[in-house]
Amino acid sequence: MLDRILTLGSFALAAGVVLAVQATTAFAGDADKKPSSVLDFHVKDIDGKDVELSKYRGKVVLIVNTASQCGLTPQYKSLEADYQKYKDQGFEILAFPANEFGQQEPGSNSEIKTFCSTKYNVTFPLFSKIVVKGEGIHPLYQFLTSESTNPGRGGEIDWNFAKFLVNRKGEVVARFHPKVKPDSPEFLAAVEKALAEK
C-alpha cells in the first residue's frame, strides 16, 4: 500500500513538473508573439472569415470604428470617395463596426454589410462587429488605445468614426478625432504624406 502511495505521489509530482514546463513554454511563446504592430493581429471580416492584417503590409491603412445610426454615419460616403481616389496608390480602409457609443450599431454583421453596400456603396473591407472600448475590448483596439503600445496616440476611443492612420511599415502615424471629416484638408494631407513614403 505504501509503495502504491509513493508511486502515485511520484506520478503526481512528475505530472506537475510537466505541466509547469508546458505553462512556462506557453508563456514564453506568448511573450515572443507579443504584437508590436497593428499588422500582427488576426480579425474576422464581415462574413466571419479569418483575416491576418499582415496582408496589408506595404499599404497605408486607415482603421476606423463605424456605426450605422450615428450622426457621423455619412462619413461612409467620404471614406468611400477617399478609397476610390487612393486605393491604386496602396490605400486601404478597414472598418470595424462597434456598438459602444449610444448603441448606434445594433444590427447583425449581415445587416451592417447590406446597409453599407446599399446606402453608401461601400467597397472597402468591412469587419465583424467588435468591442473598441471597455470590457471585452478587442486586442487590436487594446493595442491602438494603450499608451504603452501606441505612445502619443493612445487613449480611449471618443465616439464612432475615430481614425487611426497606419503607414506602410505598420506604424500608427496619426490619429483623428471622430469629427474630423475624411475629406478635410488635414486628413487628406496626412494620407497623401503616408502614401508618398515608400
Side-chain angles (χ1 to χ4, degrees):
M1 181 73 175
L2 183 59
D3 290 345
R4 187 177 176 196
I5 291 171
L6 288 173
T7 303
L8 287 172
S10 299
F11 177 76
L13 180 61
V17 170
V18 169
L19 287 172
V21 169
Q22 287 177 338
T24 303
T25 305
F27 179 78
D30 290 345
D32 291 343
K33 293 178 183 174
K34 187 175 180 182
S36 60
S37 160
V38 297
L39 301 181
D40 293 336
F41 290 91
H42 295 238
V43 293
K44 290 190 180 295
D45 70 13
I46 199 78
D47 298 314
K49 296 175 184 172
D50 289 324
V51 177
E52 292 186 19
L53 294 187
S54 59
K55 72 181 278 188
Y56 296 106
R57 192 173 304 281
K59 306 229 177 194
V60 171
V61 175
L62 183 74
I63 296 174
V64 55
N65 60 297
T66 58
S68 302
Q69 298 178 11
C70 176
L72 300 178
T73 300
Q75 287 193 18
Y76 267 126
K77 182 178 180 181
S78 299
L79 287 168
E80 178 62 23
D82 291 348
Y83 182 60
Q84 292 302 325
K85 181 176 181 179
Y86 297 115
K87 67 178 181 178
D88 290 342
Q89 297 176 49
F91 183 55
E92 291 287 348
I93 298 174
L94 313 184
F96 290 89
N99 197 37
E100 279 69 71
F101 306 101
Q103 298 183 335
Q104 295 176 345
E105 189 60 285
S108 66
N109 286 324
S110 61
E111 288 170 336
I112 294 166
K113 181 180 179 180
T114 299
F115 171 82
C116 288
S117 61
T118 57
K119 176 81 175 175
Y120 291 104
N121 300 312
V122 167
T123 60
F124 52 79
L126 298 170
F127 292 85
S128 291
K129 257 170 90 168
I130 61 171
V131 175
V132 300
K133 177 181 179 179
E135 187 178 347
I137 186 170
H138 189 281
L140 171 62
Y141 269 83
Q142 193 167 21
F143 181 93
L144 286 169
T145 58
S146 171
E147 278 293 339
S148 64
T149 50
N150 192 14
R153 297 184 181 88
E156 286 190 337
I157 300 293
D158 303 293
W159 198 251
N160 305 307
F161 292 89
K163 306 163 194 72
F164 293 87
L165 187 64
V166 180
N167 69 12
R168 296 182 191 274
K169 299 174 187 174
E171 302 163 335
V172 180
V173 292
R175 176 177 177 170
F176 297 93
H177 188 274
K179 289 185 178 178
V180 174
K181 295 179 179 179
D183 57 358
S184 68
E186 165 193 6
F187 179 81
L188 295 177
V191 170
E192 290 176 1
K193 180 182 177 184
L195 287 170
E197 296 171 358
K198 300 299 181 184

